[in-house]
Amino acid sequence: MVWKTFGWSFGVTVVGLATAFWLWGWEGFAVVAILSVLEISLSFDNAVVNAGILKRMSAFWQKIFLTIGILIAVFGMRLVFPVAIVAVTAGVGPIEAVRLATDEPDTYEMMVTDAHPSIAAFGGMFLLMIFLNFVFQEREVHWIGPLERVLAKLGRIDGFAVGVALAGLLLTASTIATHAYQHGGAHVDKSATVLLSGVAGVLTYLLVGGLSGFFEKKLAEDEDRIAAAEEAAKRVGRQPTVAGVTGKAAFFLFLYLEVLDASFSFDGVIGAFAITNHIFWMALGLGIGAMYVRSLTVFLVREGTLDAYRYLEHGAHYAIGALSVMLLVSIRWHLPELVTGGLGVGLIAAAFWSSVRANRADVAAGGTKPTVAAGG
């Protein structure tokens, strides 16, 4: 079962790491491996959410998502998107960005370094919004109970997460960004650039969240209409013709999944910039991670249950929060890849171990091992 489900992911991992070592030596191998582990860790929630929705779809639409969806996730978000970010922020075309990365690495590195403040501000604010909206939500399961209960109460204030994020952006623009690091060791004032890019990151998050909410609402309306149609048909003694409405509902499920998948992919790509600016290392590492999202989703759907590690979602979001802060700090100071990558993995590992201990305590108390809920 494991080999059948994860076989392609294992194969892509071996090929990707071997390619990284062959082309760039141990440094490339290490960074690609860190990116792969980080993306896999952050993508666990993605797989859980995908599985919870995917199991409600027909076999046909499951296959559509697991084929077309993975192509969009791997080749669209993980391969094309990093190039697009560099092209836009550095002011060059995508083909030119790839050519510079291949033929003129020194020039490319200089352009990316000088464009880093805008990349870091945009990505840092996007990731910060994901983290804040998680910790400010009411939830039944708490990992760090006292802190999370207080934050959940603060989250009852309308727009509180946006307010905190914008306050953080103003603080960053007025302090860290006034001495932004540039190529050659120079420091220049990038306050206006950081402020504009950060606002764009917040707006992008709100747009993605709005689209997800739209599809979720549409889905709920269709499911209610389907249930009403089935009930009406049963009352008059005939079988309801659900093929058409099921297809429409599945189509909106597919759209909703794509928006969710894109948002998870987006934070992975943005978070990768906290570790490296090398687009080929990024593409390899994130591509490996994307394959594991597919495999984990398939595994969870085929098993018919979700893993019972209740704090993994918390750990992933705390890792996102840590990455957001490190991205903003990196506008002025360079942070070692071992710190940026290792902290996220460490938080995931801590959440996993906490989940194992909690499950053992439940069993010892005579309870049963809990199942994971997507909402935490």
Side-chain angles (χ1 to χ4, degrees), residues 84-117:
I85 289 179
V86 172
V88 171
T89 54
V92 299
I95 297 177
E96 179 67 9
V98 174
R99 188 195 70 78
L100 287 172
T102 305
D103 301 333
E104 301 179 40
D106 292 338
T107 302
Y108 170 79
E109 182 181 0
M110 179 184 70
M111 296 176 68
V112 172
T113 300
D114 292 345
H116 180 74

PDB file of all heavy atoms in Angstrom, residues 84-117:
ATOM      1  N   ALA A  84       8.436  33.707 -11.985  1.00  0.00           N
ATOM      2  CA  ALA A  84       7.608  34.905 -12.191  1.00  0.00           C
ATOM      3  C   ALA A  84       7.867  35.946 -11.114  1.00  0.00           C
ATOM      4  O   ALA A  84       7.933  37.153 -11.399  1.00  0.00           O
ATOM      5  CB  ALA A  84       6.130  34.514 -12.208  1.00  0.00           C
ATOM      6  N   ILE A  85       8.017  35.493  -9.862  1.00  0.00           N
ATOM      7  CA  ILE A  85       8.285  36.427  -8.778  1.00  0.00           C
ATOM      8  C   ILE A  85       9.590  37.175  -9.015  1.00  0.00           C
ATOM      9  O   ILE A  85       9.676  38.399  -8.897  1.00  0.00           O
ATOM     10  CB  ILE A  85       8.328  35.689  -7.420  1.00  0.00           C
ATOM     11  CG1 ILE A  85       6.925  35.237  -7.022  1.00  0.00           C
ATOM     12  CG2 ILE A  85       8.919  36.574  -6.331  1.00  0.00           C
ATOM     13  CD1 ILE A  85       6.885  34.479  -5.718  1.00  0.00           C
ATOM     14  N   VAL A  86      10.645  36.421  -9.376  1.00  0.00           N
ATOM     15  CA  VAL A  86      11.943  37.048  -9.631  1.00  0.00           C
ATOM     16  C   VAL A  86      11.857  37.997 -10.821  1.00  0.00           C
ATOM     17  O   VAL A  86      12.405  39.097 -10.803  1.00  0.00           O
ATOM     18  CB  VAL A  86      13.016  35.959  -9.877  1.00  0.00           C
ATOM     19  CG1 VAL A  86      14.326  36.603 -10.341  1.00  0.00           C
ATOM     20  CG2 VAL A  86      13.230  35.145  -8.619  1.00  0.00           C
ATOM     21  N   ALA A  87      11.145  37.581 -11.880  1.00  0.00           N
ATOM     22  CA  ALA A  87      11.034  38.409 -13.082  1.00  0.00           C
ATOM     23  C   ALA A  87      10.343  39.736 -12.762  1.00  0.00           C
ATOM     24  O   ALA A  87      10.795  40.804 -13.191  1.00  0.00           O
ATOM     25  CB  ALA A  87      10.266  37.659 -14.165  1.00  0.00           C
ATOM     26  N   VAL A  88       9.251  39.681 -12.001  1.00  0.00           N
ATOM     27  CA  VAL A  88       8.498  40.899 -11.696  1.00  0.00           C
ATOM     28  C   VAL A  88       9.291  41.818 -10.778  1.00  0.00           C
ATOM     29  O   VAL A  88       9.418  43.022 -11.036  1.00  0.00           O
ATOM     30  CB  VAL A  88       7.135  40.544 -11.057  1.00  0.00           C
ATOM     31  CG1 VAL A  88       6.451  41.792 -10.529  1.00  0.00           C
ATOM     32  CG2 VAL A  88       6.248  39.851 -12.090  1.00  0.00           C
ATOM     33  N   THR A  89       9.836  41.255  -9.715  1.00  0.00           N
ATOM     34  CA  THR A  89      10.526  42.097  -8.739  1.00  0.00           C
ATOM     35  C   THR A  89      11.844  42.646  -9.278  1.00  0.00           C
ATOM     36  O   THR A  89      12.260  43.741  -8.907  1.00  0.00           O
ATOM     37  CB  THR A  89      10.797  41.312  -7.445  1.00  0.00           C
ATOM     38  OG1 THR A  89      11.503  40.110  -7.766  1.00  0.00           O
ATOM     39  CG2 THR A  89       9.507  40.966  -6.743  1.00  0.00           C
ATOM     40  N   ALA A  90      12.517  41.897 -10.157  1.00  0.00           N
ATOM     41  CA  ALA A  90      13.788  42.354 -10.715  1.00  0.00           C
ATOM     42  C   ALA A  90      13.600  43.174 -11.983  1.00  0.00           C
ATOM     43  O   ALA A  90      14.555  43.737 -12.511  1.00  0.00           O
ATOM     44  CB  ALA A  90      14.702  41.157 -10.996  1.00  0.00           C
ATOM     45  N   GLY A  91      12.369  43.223 -12.516  1.00  0.00           N
ATOM     46  CA  GLY A  91      12.087  44.038 -13.686  1.00  0.00           C
ATOM     47  C   GLY A  91      12.599  43.465 -14.991  1.00  0.00           C
ATOM     48  O   GLY A  91      12.953  44.214 -15.911  1.00  0.00           O
ATOM     49  N   VAL A  92      12.654  42.136 -15.109  1.00  0.00           N
ATOM     50  CA  VAL A  92      13.086  41.490 -16.360  1.00  0.00           C
ATOM     51  C   VAL A  92      12.017  40.486 -16.788  1.00  0.00           C
ATOM     52  O   VAL A  92      11.127  40.129 -16.011  1.00  0.00           O
ATOM     53  CB  VAL A  92      14.441  40.774 -16.194  1.00  0.00           C
ATOM     54  CG1 VAL A  92      15.528  41.766 -15.818  1.00  0.00           C
ATOM     55  CG2 VAL A  92      14.343  39.666 -15.146  1.00  0.00           C
ATOM     56  N   GLY A  93      12.098  40.025 -18.035  1.00  0.00           N
ATOM     57  CA  GLY A  93      11.172  39.019 -18.518  1.00  0.00           C
ATOM     58  C   GLY A  93      11.499  37.655 -17.937  1.00  0.00           C
ATOM     59  O   GLY A  93      12.629  37.412 -17.495  1.00  0.00           O
ATOM     60  N   PRO A  94      10.526  36.741 -17.930  1.00  0.00           N
ATOM     61  CA  PRO A  94      10.768  35.413 -17.350  1.00  0.00           C
ATOM     62  C   PRO A  94      11.873  34.635 -18.055  1.00  0.00           C
ATOM     63  O   PRO A  94      12.663  33.953 -17.403  1.00  0.00           O
ATOM     64  CB  PRO A  94       9.409  34.713 -17.474  1.00  0.00           C
ATOM     65  CG  PRO A  94       8.649  35.493 -18.490  1.00  0.00           C
ATOM     66  CD  PRO A  94       9.135  36.891 -18.392  1.00  0.00           C
ATOM     67  N   ILE A  95      11.917  34.744 -19.389  1.00  0.00           N
ATOM     68  CA  ILE A  95      12.972  34.044 -20.127  1.00  0.00           C
ATOM     69  C   ILE A  95      14.329  34.618 -19.760  1.00  0.00           C
ATOM     70  O   ILE A  95      15.321  33.889 -19.581  1.00  0.00           O
ATOM     71  CB  ILE A  95      12.726  34.136 -21.650  1.00  0.00           C
ATOM     72  CG1 ILE A  95      11.415  33.422 -22.009  1.00  0.00           C
ATOM     73  CG2 ILE A  95      13.893  33.537 -22.428  1.00  0.00           C
ATOM     74  CD1 ILE A  95      11.049  33.515 -23.477  1.00  0.00           C
ATOM     75  N   GLU A  96      14.393  35.945 -19.650  1.00  0.00           N
ATOM     76  CA  GLU A  96      15.641  36.593 -19.272  1.00  0.00           C
ATOM     77  C   GLU A  96      16.052  36.209 -17.856  1.00  0.00           C
ATOM     78  O   GLU A  96      17.242  36.030 -17.568  1.00  0.00           O
ATOM     79  CB  GLU A  96      15.484  38.115 -19.372  1.00  0.00           C
ATOM     80  CG  GLU A  96      16.715  38.915 -18.978  1.00  0.00           C
ATOM     81  CD  GLU A  96      17.886  38.721 -19.935  1.00  0.00           C
ATOM     82  OE1 GLU A  96      17.709  38.093 -21.001  1.00  0.00           O
ATOM     83  OE2 GLU A  96      18.982  39.198 -19.607  1.00  0.00           O
ATOM     84  N   ALA A  97      15.078  36.057 -16.969  1.00  0.00           N
ATOM     85  CA  ALA A  97      15.381  35.650 -15.593  1.00  0.00           C
ATOM     86  C   ALA A  97      16.010  34.265 -15.561  1.00  0.00           C
ATOM     87  O   ALA A  97      16.993  34.029 -14.846  1.00  0.00           O
ATOM     88  CB  ALA A  97      14.115  35.677 -14.741  1.00  0.00           C
ATOM     89  N   VAL A  98      15.452  33.336 -16.340  1.00  0.00           N
ATOM     90  CA  VAL A  98      16.010  31.987 -16.410  1.00  0.00           C
ATOM     91  C   VAL A  98      17.397  32.022 -17.041  1.00  0.00           C
ATOM     92  O   VAL A  98      18.323  31.339 -16.595  1.00  0.00           O
ATOM     93  CB  VAL A  98      15.067  31.064 -17.203  1.00  0.00           C
ATOM     94  CG1 VAL A  98      15.710  29.699 -17.396  1.00  0.00           C
ATOM     95  CG2 VAL A  98      13.733  30.914 -16.485  1.00  0.00           C
ATOM     96  N   ARG A  99      17.576  32.820 -18.107  1.00  0.00           N
ATOM     97  CA  ARG A  99      18.882  32.909 -18.791  1.00  0.00           C
ATOM     98  C   ARG A  99      19.946  33.455 -17.851  1.00  0.00           C
ATOM     99  O   ARG A  99      21.064  32.937 -17.785  1.00  0.00           O
ATOM    100  CB  ARG A  99      18.771  33.796 -20.028  1.00  0.00           C
ATOM    101  CG  ARG A  99      20.040  33.788 -20.896  1.00  0.00           C
ATOM    102  CD  ARG A  99      20.046  34.925 -21.887  1.00  0.00           C
ATOM    103  NE  ARG A  99      20.217  36.216 -21.236  1.00  0.00           N
ATOM    104  CZ  ARG A  99      21.388  36.684 -20.806  1.00  0.00           C
ATOM    105  NH1 ARG A  99      22.478  35.947 -20.903  1.00  0.00           N
ATOM    106  NH2 ARG A  99      21.462  37.868 -20.232  1.00  0.00           N
ATOM    107  N   LEU A 100      19.594  34.492 -17.104  1.00  0.00           N
ATOM    108  CA  LEU A 100      20.552  35.068 -16.170  1.00  0.00           C
ATOM    109  C   LEU A 100      20.930  34.064 -15.076  1.00  0.00           C
ATOM    110  O   LEU A 100      22.091  33.963 -14.689  1.00  0.00           O
ATOM    111  CB  LEU A 100      19.963  36.328 -15.532  1.00  0.00           C
ATOM    112  CG  LEU A 100      19.876  37.569 -16.434  1.00  0.00           C
ATOM    113  CD1 LEU A 100      19.095  38.676 -15.733  1.00  0.00           C
ATOM    114  CD2 LEU A 100      21.266  38.062 -16.817  1.00  0.00           C
ATOM    115  N   ALA A 101      19.921  33.340 -14.574  1.00  0.00           N
ATOM    116  CA  ALA A 101      20.197  32.345 -13.537  1.00  0.00           C
ATOM    117  C   ALA A 101      21.126  31.256 -14.041  1.00  0.00           C
ATOM    118  O   ALA A 101      21.928  30.703 -13.287  1.00  0.00           O
ATOM    119  CB  ALA A 101      18.884  31.730 -13.049  1.00  0.00           C
ATOM    120  N   THR A 102      21.053  30.958 -15.358  1.00  0.00           N
ATOM    121  CA  THR A 102      21.862  29.888 -15.943  1.00  0.00           C
ATOM    122  C   THR A 102      23.222  30.383 -16.407  1.00  0.00           C
ATOM    123  O   THR A 102      24.253  29.762 -16.109  1.00  0.00           O
ATOM    124  CB  THR A 102      21.120  29.257 -17.134  1.00  0.00           C
ATOM    125  OG1 THR A 102      19.828  28.832 -16.709  1.00  0.00           O
ATOM    126  CG2 THR A 102      21.887  28.063 -17.671  1.00  0.00           C
ATOM    127  N   ASP A 103      23.238  31.493 -17.136  1.00  0.00           N
ATOM    128  CA  ASP A 103      24.462  31.955 -17.804  1.00  0.00           C
ATOM    129  C   ASP A 103      25.221  33.028 -17.035  1.00  0.00           C
ATOM    130  O   ASP A 103      26.441  33.145 -17.181  1.00  0.00           O
ATOM    131  CB  ASP A 103      24.122  32.503 -19.205  1.00  0.00           C
ATOM    132  CG  ASP A 103      23.462  31.459 -20.079  1.00  0.00           C
ATOM    133  OD1 ASP A 103      23.710  30.258 -19.843  1.00  0.00           O
ATOM    134  OD2 ASP A 103      22.703  31.835 -20.988  1.00  0.00           O
ATOM    135  N   GLU A 104      24.528  33.840 -16.254  1.00  0.00           N
ATOM    136  CA  GLU A 104      25.182  34.927 -15.528  1.00  0.00           C
ATOM    137  C   GLU A 104      24.749  34.899 -14.069  1.00  0.00           C
ATOM    138  O   GLU A 104      24.017  35.780 -13.589  1.00  0.00           O
ATOM    139  CB  GLU A 104      24.834  36.279 -16.152  1.00  0.00           C
ATOM    140  CG  GLU A 104      25.246  36.405 -17.615  1.00  0.00           C
ATOM    141  CD  GLU A 104      24.855  37.751 -18.198  1.00  0.00           C
ATOM    142  OE1 GLU A 104      24.992  38.777 -17.492  1.00  0.00           O
ATOM    143  OE2 GLU A 104      24.403  37.780 -19.357  1.00  0.00           O
ATOM    144  N   PRO A 105      25.189  33.881 -13.345  1.00  0.00           N
ATOM    145  CA  PRO A 105      24.724  33.730 -11.958  1.00  0.00           C
ATOM    146  C   PRO A 105      25.082  34.908 -11.062  1.00  0.00           C
ATOM    147  O   PRO A 105      24.330  35.237 -10.143  1.00  0.00           O
ATOM    148  CB  PRO A 105      25.410  32.437 -11.497  1.00  0.00           C
ATOM    149  CG  PRO A 105      26.562  32.255 -12.433  1.00  0.00           C
ATOM    150  CD  PRO A 105      26.123  32.824 -13.740  1.00  0.00           C
ATOM    151  N   ASP A 106      26.222  35.553 -11.311  1.00  0.00           N
ATOM    152  CA  ASP A 106      26.600  36.693 -10.478  1.00  0.00           C
ATOM    153  C   ASP A 106      25.645  37.869 -10.678  1.00  0.00           C
ATOM    154  O   ASP A 106      25.215  38.512  -9.717  1.00  0.00           O
ATOM    155  CB  ASP A 106      28.030  37.136 -10.802  1.00  0.00           C
ATOM    156  CG  ASP A 106      29.060  36.097 -10.368  1.00  0.00           C
ATOM    157  OD1 ASP A 106      28.743  35.281  -9.480  1.00  0.00           O
ATOM    158  OD2 ASP A 106      30.176  36.107 -10.932  1.00  0.00           O
ATOM    159  N   THR A 107      25.309  38.149 -11.958  1.00  0.00           N
ATOM    160  CA  THR A 107      24.350  39.217 -12.251  1.00  0.00           C
ATOM    161  C   THR A 107      22.981  38.874 -11.690  1.00  0.00           C
ATOM    162  O   THR A 107      22.288  39.733 -11.120  1.00  0.00           O
ATOM    163  CB  THR A 107      24.244  39.444 -13.764  1.00  0.00           C
ATOM    164  OG1 THR A 107      25.536  39.757 -14.279  1.00  0.00           O
ATOM    165  CG2 THR A 107      23.282  40.579 -14.091  1.00  0.00           C
ATOM    166  N   TYR A 108      22.595  37.613 -11.860  1.00  0.00           N
ATOM    167  CA  TYR A 108      21.298  37.175 -11.346  1.00  0.00           C
ATOM    168  C   TYR A 108      21.233  37.322  -9.830  1.00  0.00           C
ATOM    169  O   TYR A 108      20.244  37.821  -9.274  1.00  0.00           O
ATOM    170  CB  TYR A 108      21.057  35.726 -11.749  1.00  0.00           C
ATOM    171  CG  TYR A 108      19.861  35.090 -11.085  1.00  0.00           C
ATOM    172  CD1 TYR A 108      18.572  35.339 -11.538  1.00  0.00           C
ATOM    173  CD2 TYR A 108      20.018  34.250  -9.986  1.00  0.00           C
ATOM    174  CE1 TYR A 108      17.473  34.770 -10.918  1.00  0.00           C
ATOM    175  CE2 TYR A 108      18.928  33.689  -9.357  1.00  0.00           C
ATOM    176  CZ  TYR A 108      17.665  33.951  -9.829  1.00  0.00           C
ATOM    177  OH  TYR A 108      16.587  33.394  -9.204  1.00  0.00           O
ATOM    178  N   GLU A 109      22.293  36.902  -9.153  1.00  0.00           N
ATOM    179  CA  GLU A 109      22.331  37.006  -7.695  1.00  0.00           C
ATOM    180  C   GLU A 109      22.234  38.463  -7.253  1.00  0.00           C
ATOM    181  O   GLU A 109      21.548  38.781  -6.273  1.00  0.00           O
ATOM    182  CB  GLU A 109      23.618  36.385  -7.158  1.00  0.00           C
ATOM    183  CG  GLU A 109      23.719  36.417  -5.637  1.00  0.00           C
ATOM    184  CD  GLU A 109      25.003  35.822  -5.121  1.00  0.00           C
ATOM    185  OE1 GLU A 109      25.824  35.378  -5.948  1.00  0.00           O
ATOM    186  OE2 GLU A 109      25.180  35.806  -3.896  1.00  0.00           O
ATOM    187  N   MET A 110      22.908  39.371  -7.978  1.00  0.00           N
ATOM    188  CA  MET A 110      22.844  40.777  -7.643  1.00  0.00           C
ATOM    189  C   MET A 110      21.424  41.315  -7.783  1.00  0.00           C
ATOM    190  O   MET A 110      20.920  42.038  -6.911  1.00  0.00           O
ATOM    191  CB  MET A 110      23.784  41.579  -8.550  1.00  0.00           C
ATOM    192  CG  MET A 110      23.773  43.082  -8.291  1.00  0.00           C
ATOM    193  SD  MET A 110      24.797  43.995  -9.465  1.00  0.00           S
ATOM    194  CE  MET A 110      23.803  43.780 -10.962  1.00  0.00           C
ATOM    195  N   MET A 111      20.730  40.940  -8.881  1.00  0.00           N
ATOM    196  CA  MET A 111      19.368  41.413  -9.110  1.00  0.00           C
ATOM    197  C   MET A 111      18.407  40.876  -8.058  1.00  0.00           C
ATOM    198  O   MET A 111      17.545  41.596  -7.558  1.00  0.00           O
ATOM    199  CB  MET A 111      18.905  41.020 -10.513  1.00  0.00           C
ATOM    200  CG  MET A 111      19.706  41.660 -11.639  1.00  0.00           C
ATOM    201  SD  MET A 111      19.208  41.069 -13.261  1.00  0.00           S
ATOM    202  CE  MET A 111      17.569  41.754 -13.381  1.00  0.00           C
ATOM    203  N   VAL A 112      18.576  39.612  -7.718  1.00  0.00           N
ATOM    204  CA  VAL A 112      17.685  39.012  -6.719  1.00  0.00           C
ATOM    205  C   VAL A 112      17.943  39.615  -5.344  1.00  0.00           C
ATOM    206  O   VAL A 112      17.000  39.902  -4.597  1.00  0.00           O
ATOM    207  CB  VAL A 112      17.881  37.482  -6.684  1.00  0.00           C
ATOM    208  CG1 VAL A 112      17.120  36.872  -5.517  1.00  0.00           C
ATOM    209  CG2 VAL A 112      17.401  36.858  -7.983  1.00  0.00           C
ATOM    210  N   THR A 113      19.208  39.834  -5.009  1.00  0.00           N
ATOM    211  CA  THR A 113      19.542  40.439  -3.718  1.00  0.00           C
ATOM    212  C   THR A 113      18.932  41.832  -3.600  1.00  0.00           C
ATOM    213  O   THR A 113      18.345  42.191  -2.567  1.00  0.00           O
ATOM    214  CB  THR A 113      21.060  40.514  -3.540  1.00  0.00           C
ATOM    215  OG1 THR A 113      21.611  39.195  -3.596  1.00  0.00           O
ATOM    216  CG2 THR A 113      21.413  41.148  -2.196  1.00  0.00           C
ATOM    217  N   ASP A 114      19.057  42.628  -4.671  1.00  0.00           N
ATOM    218  CA  ASP A 114      18.510  43.981  -4.643  1.00  0.00           C
ATOM    219  C   ASP A 114      16.982  43.980  -4.633  1.00  0.00           C
ATOM    220  O   ASP A 114      16.351  44.922  -4.141  1.00  0.00           O
ATOM    221  CB  ASP A 114      19.017  44.779  -5.848  1.00  0.00           C
ATOM    222  CG  ASP A 114      20.510  45.069  -5.758  1.00  0.00           C
ATOM    223  OD1 ASP A 114      21.071  44.905  -4.659  1.00  0.00           O
ATOM    224  OD2 ASP A 114      21.118  45.445  -6.778  1.00  0.00           O
ATOM    225  N   ALA A 115      16.368  42.914  -5.203  1.00  0.00           N
ATOM    226  CA  ALA A 115      14.906  42.815  -5.220  1.00  0.00           C
ATOM    227  C   ALA A 115      14.360  42.126  -3.974  1.00  0.00           C
ATOM    228  O   ALA A 115      13.141  42.101  -3.769  1.00  0.00           O
ATOM    229  CB  ALA A 115      14.449  42.054  -6.459  1.00  0.00           C
ATOM    230  N   HIS A 116      15.252  41.600  -3.136  1.00  0.00           N
ATOM    231  CA  HIS A 116      14.813  40.813  -1.991  1.00  0.00           C
ATOM    232  C   HIS A 116      13.898  41.567  -1.024  1.00  0.00           C
ATOM    233  O   HIS A 116      12.950  40.976  -0.495  1.00  0.00           O
ATOM    234  CB  HIS A 116      16.016  40.258  -1.231  1.00  0.00           C
ATOM    235  CG  HIS A 116      15.643  39.426  -0.042  1.00  0.00           C
ATOM    236  ND1 HIS A 116      15.132  38.146  -0.169  1.00  0.00           N
ATOM    237  CD2 HIS A 116      15.675  39.683   1.296  1.00  0.00           C
ATOM    238  CE1 HIS A 116      14.867  37.661   1.031  1.00  0.00           C
ATOM    239  NE2 HIS A 116      15.195  38.571   1.936  1.00  0.00           N
ATOM    240  N   PRO A 117      14.132  42.857  -0.737  1.00  0.00           N
ATOM    241  CA  PRO A 117      13.226  43.552   0.188  1.00  0.00           C
ATOM    242  C   PRO A 117      11.762  43.499  -0.227  1.00  0.00           C
ATOM    243  O   PRO A 117      10.886  43.286   0.619  1.00  0.00           O
ATOM    244  CB  PRO A 117      13.765  44.990   0.182  1.00  0.00           C
ATOM    245  CG  PRO A 117      15.217  44.841  -0.102  1.00  0.00           C
ATOM    246  CD  PRO A 117      15.301  43.704  -1.077  1.00  0.00           C
TER     247      PRO A 117
END
